[in-house]
Amino acid sequence: MEAGRRKIRICLMSILLAAAVIGICYYYYGDTEAVAGSAGTLIRRPGAEYYVG
């Protein structure tokens, strides 16, 4: 029983670590125009630059 919990804990920690590394890589090496070109938003919506209001 204890060995099963240990395996599950190791698996979950590995998934969390991988998600953190992928998130950091995405943040630093992702499309920088989407963040720099928008006014304070993290995500650029499709068609937002063509909005006429």
Side-chain angles (χ1 to χ4, degrees):
M1 185 73 168
E2 190 63 36
R5 286 185 183 174
R6 186 169 186 263
K7 287 180 183 179
I8 291 173
R9 188 177 298 140
I10 290 172
C11 183
L12 289 175
M13 292 300 286
S14 299
I15 291 171
L16 287 175
L17 181 62
V21 169
I22 290 170
I24 290 170
C25 290
Y26 177 77
Y27 180 77
Y28 282 113
Y29 300 114
D31 186 19
T32 56
E33 290 181 12
V35 175
S38 60
T41 59
L42 294 176
I43 302 171
R44 180 174 43 176
R45 290 185 290 168
E49 61 270 6
Y50 301 112
Y51 177 76
V52 178

